[in-house]
Amino acid sequence: MEYIPEPFRIKMVEPIHKTTKEYRQQCLKEAQYNAFRLKARDVYIDCITDSGTSAMSQNQWAAMFMGDESYAGAESFYRLEASVQDVFGMPYVQPTHQGRAADYIMAQIYAKKGKYAIGNMHFDTFRGNAEVMGAYPVDLCIDEGFDAASDPLPFKGNIDLNKMQALIDEKGADNVCVVIITVTCNNNGGQPVSMQNIREVSALAKKYNIPVVIDSARLAENAWFIKQREPGYENKEIKEITREMFSYCETATMSSKKDGLVNIGGLFVTRSEDVYHQANQMAIVHEGFITYGGMSGRDMEALAVGLQEACEDSYLEYRTGQVKFLGDLLMERGIPIIQPTGGHGVYVDGRRFFPHIPQHEFPSQRLVCALYEESGVRAVEIGACAFGSKDPVTGEDIFPELETMRICVNRRVYTSDHLRVIADALARIYERRDQYKGMKIVYEGPIVSLRHFTAGFELL
Ligand code: F0G
């Protein structure tokens, strides 16, 4: 099986610890079978997220020493601004402390009460903000993107143009306030969006004067897939591709904790001077002055360098290759996953893994617990718990189409042997899958869309 070696060598290490199965069973019980409530020190290989978990390079650490911590007009801001302009090809840059703060500002500007916000699949933090604003987020990804068992397609993150046109026709263009394209699409496997789709969605939106925003947490991974899979882009540089992607939108938000290769930070980037001024006002109230927006000077320095490193071919080839390697190991062991593997992790299909556990008994959450119990590996459920909702009138549970366990691969952190540990543990569980039963929720917080962070479960 092909493994693309790391384009770096390791000069600082962080010890991780194995524990016993009995100890992990106790930990699970104390955490009420919710992986978010486990202590990180009790986790051996942590794949709960790819957010804020990257290893930084020597150049990033070195740049941090140059942090200019001035309140206003810091040199570090101007270095970050230049790096962002280079990657995004957009003029106005407002830093934020992380992605959801940029989402908040974006929602305040673009989400309008009683109007529809179209997306391929909105990420929860925008969804939450939109709901607070009284806007209706709708997911209009292509059908194959909602089916974890669909045949492999190169761009399962694409928006379905027919669905978009139908929504505009049905509701009226005046009732659609924004289109948000999330690249890559986090909710369905880190699946990319093609340049053609971004171009066509943007043209359709423009026809009706609807602004387009790109949620760009994983912009470099998306650009890499365009380079690999879309005719006409094979010889382009990654930054040429990212700039073309953003040429089709008015504004972009970014959680820099992913493809920024940093542990904290966010961006609100726009080509509209008016939108920029609005964002500045909100940043000053909620984040910090315009030239730091909740980030320290040293963190802006690390991001300025990280963004550039994330756009290097050698890094992206290794990065996406590592995710594919884990996917191939799982497929070799017969484990059902979303295909093809996407940018930041492997998503195991909970329905096909545990066909005997109905969705209301949380098959993917059960798998998260089984994996931790078996091996100390922590993944995360993206299914009935995380994306379940309740009918506002009857209070009845509504279950999402996708029912998966996401195994995120941290950037530049784990080796191929760590990935083998994950694959072997899952294979052992898969062999005795009939023995597992479902779970029930015994505690959930009042905000259903956020219940997965704090929920408590019992095994059935
Ligand atoms: N947009 C997308 C597409 C994301 O994946 C995330 C975070 C955010 C916005 C919010 O950014 O965390 O910096 O405030 N995703 C993480 C995850 C948490 O695990 O997928 P943030």
Side-chain angles (χ1 to χ4, degrees), residues 315-332:
Y315 159 74
L316 284 167
E317 185 188 23
Y318 142 77
R319 159 78 184 148
T320 53
Q322 207 182 31
V323 174
K324 181 171 181 299
F325 177 74
L326 176 59
D328 289 347
L329 289 178
L330 294 189
M331 285 195 290
E332 199 181 63

Side-chain angles (χ1 to χ4, degrees), residues 48-51 98-101 103 123 125 182 184 186 215 217-218 255-258 265 344 406 408:
I48 197 168
T49 181
D50 62 322
S51 184
Q98 62 180 72
R100 65 199 67 189
D103 284 344
F123 187 69
T125 48
T182 301
T184 58
N186 185 6
D215 180 346
R218 301 174 181 90
S255 167
S256 316
K257 299 169 73 172
K258 284 81 167 174
H344 62 292
R406 180 182 76 167
C408 276

Side-chain angles (χ1 to χ4, degrees), residues 399-441:
F399 293 106
E401 281 154 284
L402 285 166
E403 178 61 49
T404 66
M405 174 179 78
R406 180 182 76 167
I407 312 169
C408 276
V409 179
N410 296 186
R411 293 173 182 79
R412 304 192 292 208
V413 171
Y414 293 115
T415 66
S416 54
D417 285 333
H418 290 118
L419 303 183
R420 282 182 212 281
V421 169
I422 301 171
D424 290 342
L426 268 175
R428 290 195 297 276
I429 299 166
Y430 196 54
E431 271 164 28
R432 46 171 209 268
R433 59 191 176 279
D434 300 347
Q435 295 168 19
Y436 291 88
K437 296 199 181 77
M439 329 177 68
K440 68 172 184 192
I441 284 199

